Amino acid sequence: MIDVIETKLSPPYIRQQRMNRSAILKRMAEEAGSVRFVSVVAPAGSGKSTLLVELHEKCGLEGSACAWLSLEAGDDEPARFARYISSVFRVIDKPFAETNLAYLKSSGSADLTRFFDAIIEYIAAIDRRFTLFVDDFHVLKNPDILNFWTRFISYTPSSVRTVIASRSKLPLDLSRLRIAGGIFELGQNDLNLSVQETMRFMKEQHNVALPMPTVQLLHDRTEGWMVGLQLAGMAISKSDRDKEEIIRGFSARDRNLQEYLFEAVYGLQDEATRHFLLFTAPLNRFSAELCDVVTGQNDGYHRLAQLEAANLFILPLDREGRWYRYHHLFSEYLVTQLMRGDPGLKAQICANAADWCIGEGYVLEAIQYCLDASYFEKATDLIAEQAKTVAIGEGNHSIIFEWMRKLPLEYQYRRPEILLHHAWSRAFTRDGVGIAVSICDEFEKLLADTKAPRWDLPATEVQSLVHLCNVIRCITFACVEAIDDCLVAAKALLTELPKEDDALIASASVASAFSYYLQKDLNQALVSAHEAYVHGRRGESAYAAIWADFVAAMTNIELGRIGAAELVARRAGQTLTEVSGDSQTAALAALVKAEVDCQRCRFDSLQQVMIDSRVMSILSSSPEPLFIARRSEARFRLWTGDIEAAREVLRQGQDLALTMDMPRLYFGFIAEEIELQLHSGDIRGARDTASRTDILNRKNSLITARHQSAVMEYIELTDARLLLAEGRGEEALKLLNMILRKAQSQRRTALMQQLRAMKSIALWALEKETEAMRELDKVVNSAAPELHMYPLYRVGSGLLVILQRLDDDRVSDVEALDAKYQFQQQLIKLLGANASVDMRVRGGQLQPRLKSSALADPLTDRQLEILRLICSGLGNKELAQELHISLSTAKWHVHNIFDKLGVRNRTSAVAYARKINLI
């Protein structure tokens, strides 16, 4: 499956000698300097692409990383455009590009605003030399895409340069950048050839020597317009007529010039060449093999070589000389001529091209040919043949949706497999479960109508479709967390499905495994996930296999088996390399890795999957991937010290959960927000959040019977965290013991580790230091072999004093080398204790007493005031409001404070300030 044409991401390979634009390059070197944006705006055929290719080569030789993007009309659709803008970043950050592609291929009809924001945020942070070349920008009309480009160009740093070529004026608001001298603009006059260059062009490109008066005439008529000169050169070199007479027939401003030149060039070709041109004109790109298919001849290689040698508006797309395209204007002209001759020919050509493409694996192009040509009969057949691979095998739901948007409803109903695979893809989207159920209902209704049957199907095919419909219903049960219904349906399906139907068995097993996971029947979840993986691989369903690995990884994490979870994550990544599909499959695989990284506190790795987090946050109707995605992003934001951004991510998750009627998700996001606030030392803010959301109300009307067990766990854990933070040790201990007993009965090791760590703080606060140390030591003994740090890290800096005491008891050199000691040291470092400190309890919080010297560069009174506000949980915006200063001034103060403390984020600043008694 190909949905990104790779040749669009490389400069067109110009095999023949091209016109060197040394004068323009010299001017740019002298005047452009370090400007961030270069625009090349001129009519079609002015040599914009050729100039960009030359600039691309020059920038590469000067040490800049260079990316290229050739746009076409279809790229004005946001989802498709986003796939290509993501791909350009492969040259500097392949993981970032691939995670973006995972997002976009699973985005369906979702709003892409947050994705575009993430791209802009990324480009603003690039600190290496990077140049992006964008050709044919004029095809873009969509306001969302244009707004993206305005912001993209405005926020690029000095190390990044964007070069855009367009036929028309750029519809971008760049006035501020222009006033600031940040733009270097080239227009039609800049690209037009001079008289001397026109003479050289005709000699070098067409082997036509003209006297100076004739050259001047040619220049006057064409105004140095590159394509005008190119067409004139072809006409002159192919004709026996007087050269000056031909030139005098041109008019540079004549609207009919293009058609005149095309007619002059096209009419000079022999019948066989004209036939070849017409029959290959509808193709977006073509190779010799494809040309032979659509022309019915066997001379594709010869014809392409002939056209290229004649410079007949054919552009090679790769250095191997396999793929070509026509100049857009020339192609449009040829298609017009084709339709005038026989309107039905285009549809037949597209059908033949589709057949060839499907055989070669270019499925998206094949179906697109048919849909764009309104050849719906052929499109229906192709979609029916390929829908299972695209939807079930690869999880490329956005492609299914694109097909359905273009295929009339009457054709969708002609093939029941199209209906059901559309329902399948809808079941995996945020707002699509209801649509999936409706389609299944409609299918069953039509199937039961024996008086006027819509489909004439053999009994075996009917049974297969019924099985598919039932699996879709089972999946919808899992997506809305109707656990009992899902398990009943899955059990029946796994009994009924034919043994050879591995893809559907895998899918039913995934639904079953996910339901067991939600039930916290973890052993059975692993068994079902294993079955799903095995059948998914047998049935060539990477999507089912990676869903199975997702459930298996989450289950192993609950069991404290991080090593096993990491192996599963690697396996999911390997599965992706063996299939052609990406989409939600890649997003799920990335989320598995993100969760493993989080559990081992490898927060820097989370940045690579933040785009996937947005994918699942927007699209997945399954609460668990959605929750993990948002949570991963929030934890990354907290680690960087941006608590407000972390909270915003979680608050958006809360709103999303409410609109999706997902109470477990809603309470989970609230609990996570309060936990992050407590982790950053903002006890008052955490209590305010609890009051605002009413999370501690065990009779909240949002709590349904279906989600009661999971929601009550969030409520009780949040209650315990708040009690512990407020120094109410006895109450916290009682509640923690109650939750711990349930966790033990479910063998949820990760939760038990977290609860025991919290217990150790409660015991320490109650001056039961020996018991506290014993409790924490159990946790360390359990977590260290798996490097499972997050259950302890999430408890917060209150563990520092107990960890330090444990550390003090292990002084031998031999012990200092073991895994437990190394685990403790890494955890102490993460929690902010970089030196030996003495700790005491004050107001329910553990406070350090200084054992080191004062700061080399003491904080000013103003900086101390700001530091205290930071410690109370205020973000930059709140700081600015509190102190009546601008946001930029607030950021400047925070930066200086971090610099003096030798830290890089708010969490570390708070921990260190408390350690040296600054607050």
Side-chain angles (χ1 to χ4, degrees):
M1 174 58 58
I2 296 177
D3 55 355
V4 171
I5 300 175
E6 295 296 331
T7 49
K8 291 175 60 175
L9 302 175
S10 300
Y13 178 59
I14 302 174
R15 185 169 297 174
Q16 70 272 13
Q17 182 181 0
R18 63 172 181 261
M19 183 73 182
N20 182 279
R21 307 308 305 271
S22 56
I24 294 179
L25 296 182
K26 181 180 179 181
R27 179 187 161 198
M28 287 187 64
E30 294 173 348
E31 300 177 19
S34 59
V35 298
R36 294 175 292 157
F37 178 57
V38 175
S39 69
V40 184
V41 178
S46 299
K48 300 182 297 296
S49 298
T50 304
L51 175 62
L52 260 62
V53 169
E54 193 167 356
L55 286 172
H56 183 278
E57 293 177 355
K58 183 175 183 293
C59 290
L61 292 173
E62 292 174 348
S64 175
C66 297
W68 182 281
L69 175 58
S70 294
L71 296 169
E72 55 188 13
D75 298 332
D76 198 35
E77 194 273 319
R80 177 169 170 177
F81 164 77
R83 289 199 291 270
Y84 281 102
I85 195 63
S86 297
S87 300
V88 301
F89 290 105
R90 288 175 179 167
V91 298
I92 57 170
D93 193 343
K94 188 174 181 180
F96 176 77
E98 296 301 329
T99 52
N100 279 352
L101 288 171
Y103 165 45
L104 297 166
K105 293 174 186 176
S106 57
S107 65
S109 59
D111 183 6
L112 295 172
T113 300
R114 296 189 69 238
F115 163 76
F116 287 138
D117 289 343
I119 291 288
I120 291 168
E121 180 180 342
Y122 176 84
I123 198 71
I126 291 179
D127 60 358
R128 60 173 294 186
R129 292 181 63 189
F130 173 59
T131 307
L132 172 60
F133 295 84
V134 184
D135 200 12
D136 289 334
F137 190 90
H138 54 271
V139 302
L140 300 180
K141 310 293 183 185
N142 187 285
D144 292 333
I145 298 177
L146 295 176
N147 180 59
F148 162 80
W149 278 113
T150 296
R151 298 173 60 217
F152 180 98
I153 295 166
S154 299
Y155 288 108
T156 51
S158 59
S159 59
V160 177
R161 173 178 283 183
T162 307
V163 183
I164 287 180
S166 174
R167 292 181 188 175
S168 56
K169 182 179 179 180
L170 300 180
L172 305 176
D173 182 11
L174 302 173
S175 55
R176 291 186 179 180
L177 191 61
R178 184 175 289 107
I179 293 172
I183 300 179
F184 183 79
E185 298 176 283
L186 292 171
Q188 175 66 65
N189 290 336
D190 301 304
L191 267 65
N192 287 344
L193 299 186
S194 66
V195 175
Q196 294 294 334
E197 288 174 328
T198 299
M199 177 179 283
R200 182 160 57 90
F201 175 86
M202 296 300 292
K203 178 64 177 178
E204 294 177 354
Q205 302 297 316
H206 295 281
N207 196 29
V208 174
L210 297 174
M212 179 55 70
T214 305
V215 172
Q216 184 66 59
L217 177 63
L218 178 59
H219 186 269
D220 291 342
R221 289 288 185 264
T222 63
E223 297 185 33
W225 180 41
M226 188 73 79
V227 160
L229 292 170
Q230 174 77 351
L231 292 172
M234 293 173 60
I236 293 170
S237 62
K238 296 289 185 180
S239 176
D240 294 331
R241 289 192 299 149
D242 181 76
K243 295 178 176 59
E244 185 171 334
E245 180 182 347
I246 295 174
I247 294 172
R248 288 187 181 279
F250 295 138
S251 174
R253 295 182 176 87
D254 190 346
R255 293 183 178 181
N256 296 321
L257 173 63
Q258 293 181 21
E259 185 169 350
Y260 170 83
L261 293 175
F262 284 143
E263 289 288 353
V265 174
Y266 177 72
L268 294 176
Q269 309 306 314
D270 59 59
E271 185 64 30
T273 300
R274 290 199 298 270
H275 177 273
F276 183 88
L277 291 171
L278 290 178
F279 274 72
T280 55
L283 304 177
N284 295 323
R285 61 172 187 155
F286 44 85
S287 63
E289 300 93 337
L290 180 55
C291 290
D292 287 343
V293 169
V294 298
T295 62
Q297 305 296 321
N298 295 309
D299 59 353
Y301 285 104
H302 169 71
R303 290 294 176 187
L304 292 176
Q306 182 185 51
L307 295 180
E308 187 176 18
N311 204 19
L312 199 62
F313 291 101
I314 184 172
L315 305 175
L317 299 175
D318 52 45
R319 291 185 177 274
E320 292 76 23
R322 185 186 183 198
W323 290 101
Y324 295 84
R325 71 167 177 86
Y326 290 123
H327 186 284
H328 297 312
L329 290 175
F330 192 52
S331 175
E332 291 168 7
Y333 167 78
L334 293 173
V335 169
T336 299
Q337 295 301 309
L338 177 71
M339 297 297 288
R340 285 176 180 173
D342 185 347
L345 269 180
K346 181 181 178 182
Q348 185 57 53
I349 291 169
C350 288
N352 292 336
D355 287 336
W356 183 85
C357 286
I358 197 71
E360 295 296 316
Y362 306 120
V363 183
L364 183 59
E365 289 181 84
I367 295 174
Q368 197 65 48
Y369 280 132
C370 294
L371 292 174
D372 288 345
S374 298
Y375 200 72
F376 299 126
E377 292 282 355
K378 187 67 174 178
T380 300
D381 292 339
L382 286 173
I383 292 171
E385 292 171 7
Q386 297 301 316
K388 180 178 180 180
T389 298
V390 175
I392 298 178
E394 300 174 350
N396 262 316
H397 305 314
S398 61
I399 293 176
I400 295 290
F401 303 150
E402 187 174 349
W403 291 345
M404 295 305 101
R405 284 194 296 271
K406 293 184 176 182
L407 185 67
L409 196 60
E410 63 175 290
Y411 289 92
Q412 296 180 33
Y413 272 82
R414 291 186 181 186
R415 300 292 291 269
E417 56 266 54
I418 293 180
L419 284 178
L420 290 178
H421 287 108
H422 182 202
W424 176 282
S425 289
R426 287 294 177 189
F428 286 95
T429 58
R430 186 185 74 190
D431 54 356
V433 173
I435 298 174
V437 172
S438 296
I439 293 174
C440 287
D441 290 342
E442 182 72 7
F443 163 77
E444 291 176 345
K445 178 183 176 181
L446 293 172
L447 195 64
D449 187 358
T450 57
K451 294 183 179 180
R454 181 175 287 269
W455 309 297
D456 183 16
L457 303 171
T460 54
E461 188 173 346
V462 170
Q463 189 59 54
S464 296
L465 292 170
V466 169
H467 285 154
L468 174 57
C469 182
N470 290 337
V471 171
I472 294 169
R473 290 192 183 278
C474 182
I475 290 170
T476 62
F477 289 143
C479 289
V480 298
E481 297 190 1
I483 297 174
D484 293 337
D485 292 337
C486 181
L487 289 175
V488 169
K491 183 177 180 180
L493 281 166
L494 293 173
T495 302
E496 298 169 3
L497 288 171
K499 293 182 179 180
E500 64 273 11
D501 203 343
D502 287 296
L504 292 187
I505 292 174
S507 301
S509 297
V510 166
S512 178
F514 185 64
S515 294
Y516 283 126
Y517 168 76
L518 292 178
Q519 271 190 344
K520 302 309 173 187
D521 187 348
L522 301 180
N523 284 337
Q524 191 58 49
L526 286 178
V527 171
S528 295
H530 175 72
E531 289 297 313
Y533 175 79
V534 170
H535 286 283
R537 295 313 304 269
R538 287 178 182 172
E540 298 182 347
S541 176
Y543 192 47
I546 290 177
W547 256 107
D549 280 342
F550 174 81
V551 177
M554 297 305 111
T555 303
N556 277 310
I557 288 171
E558 288 260 19
L559 293 169
R561 302 171 182 171
I562 310 304
E566 186 159 38
L567 289 175
V568 170
R570 291 175 183 172
R571 185 173 71 180
Q574 180 61 32
T575 300
L576 284 177
T577 67
E578 298 172 7
V579 298
S580 60
D582 286 325
S583 192
Q584 270 195 7
T585 45
L588 282 171
L591 283 176
V592 173
K593 183 181 182 302
E595 188 63 7
V596 171
D597 287 337
C598 181
Q599 295 302 317
R600 286 187 165 159
C601 291
R602 298 193 293 238
F603 297 111
D604 53 340
S605 299
L606 293 183
Q607 188 175 21
Q608 299 178 11
V609 299
M610 285 175 64
I611 297 300
D612 291 287
S613 298
R614 291 182 172 88
V615 169
M616 304 306 292
S617 299
I618 293 172
L619 292 174
S620 179
S621 60
S622 176
E624 199 64 16
L626 193 156
F627 181 64
I628 291 169
R630 291 270 180 171
R631 189 178 66 184
S632 295
E633 182 174 352
R635 289 174 176 178
F636 172 78
R637 299 292 189 188
L638 178 69
W639 179 72
T640 62
D642 197 342
I643 179 65
E644 281 308 306
R647 291 184 63 198
E648 179 61 23
V649 168
L650 296 172
R651 285 193 293 263
Q652 290 173 358
Q654 294 163 31
D655 292 340
L656 182 61
L658 287 174
T659 62
M660 297 171 66
D661 191 22
M662 293 181 174
R664 181 178 73 88
L665 207 65
Y666 175 67
F667 284 93
F669 280 130
I670 296 171
E672 185 76 13
E673 181 183 0
I674 292 173
E675 180 181 322
L676 295 192
Q677 287 177 283
L678 293 175
H679 195 281
S680 63
D682 184 12
I683 302 171
R684 184 179 66 183
R687 179 59 74 176
D688 289 343
T689 298
S691 299
R692 170 178 59 82
T693 59
D694 199 25
I695 188 175
L696 300 182
N697 179 7
R698 288 162 171 79
K699 296 183 179 181
N700 194 304
S701 60
L702 293 174
I703 304 175
T704 63
R706 179 183 295 174
H707 303 98
Q708 185 171 15
S709 178
V711 170
M712 289 305 296
E713 181 178 298
Y714 286 130
I715 292 174
E716 290 163 356
L717 267 172
T718 300
D719 199 0
R721 288 185 184 113
L722 288 167
L723 291 172
L724 195 61
E726 293 168 347
R728 298 156 66 181
E730 289 284 2
E731 296 173 78
L733 195 60
K734 181 179 179 181
L735 189 53
L736 288 168
N737 282 328
M738 182 189 74
I739 307 171
L740 183 58
R741 285 192 293 272
K742 182 178 179 181
Q744 288 172 327
S745 69
Q746 296 173 328
R747 298 178 57 226
R748 296 170 65 187
T749 302
L751 179 57
M752 289 190 291
Q753 290 169 346
Q754 178 189 350
L755 293 169
R756 290 188 184 280
M758 294 171 69
K759 273 187 67 176
S760 69
I761 294 178
L763 290 167
W764 188 274
L766 295 171
E767 299 184 355
K768 298 179 180 181
E769 297 185 4
T770 302
E771 291 182 56
M773 292 175 62
R774 186 183 304 117
E775 197 72 40
L776 186 57
D777 195 50
K778 290 179 183 178
V779 180
V780 173
N781 285 332
S782 170
E786 297 282 345
L787 295 177
H788 197 183
M789 291 191 175
Y790 197 76
L792 287 86
Y793 175 78
R794 70 189 304 176
V795 173
S797 61
L799 288 177
L800 281 171
V801 64
I802 315 173
L803 283 167
Q804 188 62 57
R805 286 290 297 276
L806 289 175
D807 186 50
D808 291 342
D809 290 341
R810 301 171 58 80
V811 296
S812 72
D813 292 338
V814 174
E815 287 180 317
L817 295 175
D818 69 21
K820 180 178 177 181
Y821 175 81
Q822 298 298 329
F823 180 85
Q824 287 179 205
Q825 291 301 303
Q826 188 172 349
L827 188 57
I828 289 171
K829 183 178 180 180
L830 278 168
L831 290 171
N834 300 316
S836 179
V837 296
D838 183 27
M839 307 290 289
R840 58 190 171 88
V841 176
R842 184 173 67 206
Q845 295 297 300
L846 294 172
Q847 302 293 339
R849 279 201 288 263
L850 179 63
K851 277 192 176 181
S852 61
S853 60
L855 291 173
D857 185 6
L859 299 180
T860 65
D861 291 341
R862 183 65 157 173
Q863 289 171 338
L864 283 170
E865 178 187 7
I866 293 173
L867 180 60
R868 293 188 186 97
L869 293 174
I870 290 173
C871 292
S872 68
L874 269 62
N876 288 337
K877 289 184 180 179
E878 293 168 320
L879 282 174
Q881 294 171 357
E882 180 74 17
L883 299 171
H884 304 288
I885 58 178
S886 69
L887 180 59
S888 60
T889 301
K891 290 180 178 180
W892 179 74
H893 281 303
V894 172
H895 170 78
N896 289 338
I897 291 169
F898 287 0
D899 188 54
K900 287 185 177 183
L901 295 180
V903 299
R904 64 178 180 180
N905 57 51
R906 278 175 158 77
T907 302
S908 298
V910 171
Y912 188 65
R914 287 174 176 166
K915 181 177 71 178
I916 62 175
N917 272 343
L918 281 175
I919 54 174

